Amino acid sequence: MLRIILKKGREVPVLRGHPWIFSGALEEIDGNADAVGVADVFDWEKHWIARGLFSPKSQIRLRLLTWQKEEIDGDFFFRRISRSLSIRESILSKVTNAYRIVNGEGDFLPGLIVDRYDEFLVCQFFTAGMDRFKPLIVDSLSSLLAVKGIFERSEGRVRDEEGIEPSVGVLAGEPPPELIAIEENGFKFVIDLRRGQKTGFFLDQRDNRAFLSAIARDKKVLNCFSYSGAFSVYALGGGAKEVVSLDSSRPALELAERNLALNGFEVSGSELLKGDAFTYLKECDSAFDIIVLDPPSLARKRSDVDGAAGGYKFLNLHALRHVRPGGLLLTFSCSQHLSIDLFQKVVFGAAVDAGRKVTILKRLGHPIDHPVSLHHPEGEYLKGLVLRVLD
Ligand code: SAH
């Protein structure tokens, strides 16, 4: 097994349980430095500290799996996945049949995402190390869950940085149907597992959708960046009198229309708008009781943060202009690199420039199937504010 010796002092975060070791922390690599795989980590005095997965091409050279001398084998993955599953099943099985089973670092399985959509699972292997364990992980999932099929959607920037190709396709069982139907809090949704965004649905907004439903009665709502219309369905389900959904993607709007119809809501063309939210918010002359602003991540890399802050400010400023006095703005950022403090400052700047007085009623975040490791605060990507626009 590969042995990694850290530079003096660089063991401190590792001993505190942080799962990432960057390339600059490595003093010595004992073994093949080009090989992906399990590695043992030692401090500068060669005391064993932890065990993890080595990625020779990534800046994050090691992602740690355990601080105990346990084998990284099929049993290991079975134990970890069972632990993740138990908390979800006990809390969520009455609420929904679609939830995240493994949330990467938040479940002490860095590089792995597993989402359940009723009888199908969707997996994402983001790192070279985790990719190697695909067969063992698929075996564990198959023995723990009676599902019809396991599909892989390992794509995106992280795999590029790891030097591994995208990998999409069936891992076990049947291929998923074109659209799969799920239920969440009594609402129905169809999901495109193969081509939809993320693994097909924004599972992470479940509790925030429920919050919207609880406050939507008789309200006129704008759902900006609506994707498959999940916030819109919940708003109408909560008795909203009108909901306008806006997205730049035609396939997303088609899914939204289907989802609205599936829940008994027929909407007119003016309530499903294809367009750029930046332009719409700047030029629109309507006022709303509630606006939901859930843009895609505007900062994908740390170096994007300044530009992203400008984008978030623009969106929030123009959204605030269209909230009726006494109305609400539910504003989100899913950028891991933008801290909650910075996000709040950006929104404050937007309120000042919009000339509105605003209070924070509530902060929103991840649901229980998206746990954040206390040892890895970087995992807390989704942040939301419920703002009341006073005058
Ligand atoms: N709120 C959604 C998730 C939003 S994801 C939910 O809970 O399901 C972000 C969405 O923004 C995507 O559907 C994407 O198509 C859309 N989008 C990206 N850039 C956009 C833009 N400039 N204007 C409008 N929509 C945009």
Side-chain angles (χ1 to χ4, degrees):
M1 197 190 301
L2 207 58
R3 294 160 52 91
I4 308 291
I5 293 107
L6 300 181
K7 289 181 182 159
K8 187 172 176 183
R10 304 304 279 270
E11 72 284 1
V12 175
V14 179
L15 288 167
R16 289 183 183 153
H18 199 285
W20 292 352
I21 302 179
F22 286 87
S23 56
L26 274 51
E27 177 72 43
E28 192 185 321
I29 299 175
D30 180 4
N32 181 357
D34 297 323
V36 174
V38 178
D40 271 344
V41 180
F42 299 81
D43 69 9
W44 61 286
E45 291 180 310
K46 309 230 167 122
H47 297 123
W48 188 93
I49 322 179
R51 185 165 284 171
L53 298 174
F54 184 77
S55 279
K57 299 219 168 92
S58 171
Q59 276 308 308
I60 306 176
R61 203 50 56 90
L62 274 143
R63 288 176 175 82
L64 300 176
L65 292 173
T66 181
W67 285 256
Q68 290 169 28
K69 285 190 177 162
E70 54 188 326
E71 288 302 314
I72 308 303
D73 55 11
D75 272 1
F76 170 83
F77 288 105
F78 186 90
R79 290 195 303 276
R80 281 285 156 97
I81 297 171
S82 321
R83 184 171 77 181
S84 301
L85 196 56
S86 60
I87 185 86
R88 273 76 166 178
E89 281 184 327
S90 62
I91 299 182
L92 288 174
S93 57
K94 289 188 192 69
V95 173
T96 181
N97 56 8
Y99 48 88
R100 179 154 291 188
I101 290 172
V102 176
N103 189 43
E105 282 80 357
D107 286 300
F108 284 69
L109 286 169
L112 178 66
I113 298 291
V114 183
D115 287 343
R116 172 178 207 162
Y117 293 103
D118 192 19
E119 292 183 296
F120 286 88
L121 302 181
V122 184
C123 298
Q124 296 180 309
F125 298 85
F126 283 127
T127 64
M130 207 46 105
D131 205 58
R132 288 291 165 95
F133 286 101
K134 207 180 281 178
L136 294 184
I137 290 167
V138 169
D139 282 354
S140 292
L141 289 168
S142 303
S143 56
L144 281 163
L145 292 144
V147 289
K148 281 192 180 154
I150 305 181
F151 194 72
E152 179 178 20
R153 290 275 308 267
S154 303
E155 307 158 281
R157 193 180 49 79
V158 184
R159 270 181 87 94
D160 298 344
E161 285 166 8
E162 292 274 321
I164 46 176
E165 296 287 314
S167 177
V168 176
V170 175
L171 291 174
E174 298 174 20
E178 282 298 308
L179 290 178
I180 182 162
I182 63 111
E183 266 194 60
E184 188 188 87
N185 286 312
F187 297 109
K188 296 183 178 64
F189 296 96
V190 285
I191 287 165
D192 182 349
L193 295 190
R194 296 155 184 271
R195 283 167 293 269
Q197 299 190 31
K198 296 235 244 186
T199 59
F201 198 55
F202 286 79
L203 296 168
D204 53 359
Q205 289 283 23
R206 182 187 312 110
D207 292 354
N208 306 331
R209 293 193 269 273
F211 175 75
L212 175 66
S213 187
I215 57 168
R217 181 149 307 278
D218 298 328
K219 299 290 192 284
K220 182 178 173 187
V221 179
L222 171 64
N223 179 11
C224 245
F225 304 96
S226 54
Y227 183 49
S228 57
F231 274 110
S232 305
V233 167
Y234 271 73
L236 287 165
K241 66 169 186 252
E242 185 186 341
V243 178
V244 176
S245 307
L246 174 83
D247 202 280
S248 58
S249 153
R250 172 83 56 207
L253 287 165
E254 283 167 8
L255 275 179
E257 191 171 7
R258 286 186 76 139
N259 285 329
L260 288 160
L262 202 56
N263 291 281
F265 308 120
E266 297 302 331
V267 291
S268 70
S270 62
E271 289 162 279
L272 276 172
L273 301 179
K274 181 179 178 317
D276 170 40
F278 290 81
T279 313
Y280 177 84
L281 288 170
K282 187 153 184 266
E283 293 176 357
C284 145
D285 51 16
S286 312
F288 297 89
D289 301 306
I290 302 177
I291 298 183
V292 178
L293 202 56
D294 183 26
S297 174
L298 301 181
R300 300 212 177 261
K301 308 192 288 299
R302 190 165 298 284
S303 56
D304 292 343
V305 167
D306 286 349
Y312 287 112
K313 180 167 177 193
F314 184 98
L315 287 171
N316 281 280
L317 192 167
H318 289 287
L320 284 167
R321 287 178 40 235
H322 301 299
V323 179
R324 289 192 179 128
L328 303 180
L329 172 63
L330 275 60
T331 182
F332 296 94
S333 162
C334 60
S335 299
Q336 186 209 311
H337 300 293
L338 193 89
S339 67
I340 179 69
D341 288 354
L342 180 55
F343 182 53
Q344 188 173 319
K345 284 189 183 117
V346 166
V347 174
F348 165 66
V352 171
D353 287 5
R356 309 298 302 264
K357 291 284 178 289
V358 175
T359 56
I360 299 175
L361 290 188
K362 189 174 168 65
R363 293 174 193 278
L364 302 174
H366 303 229
I368 68 110
D369 51 335
H370 290 64
V372 178
S373 164
L374 206 48
H375 310 267
H376 180 257
E378 298 90 330
E380 188 165 9
Y381 64 94
L382 182 64
K383 43 223 155 255
L385 296 170
V386 180
L387 302 175
R388 182 149 196 243
V389 183
L390 302 177
D391 50 39

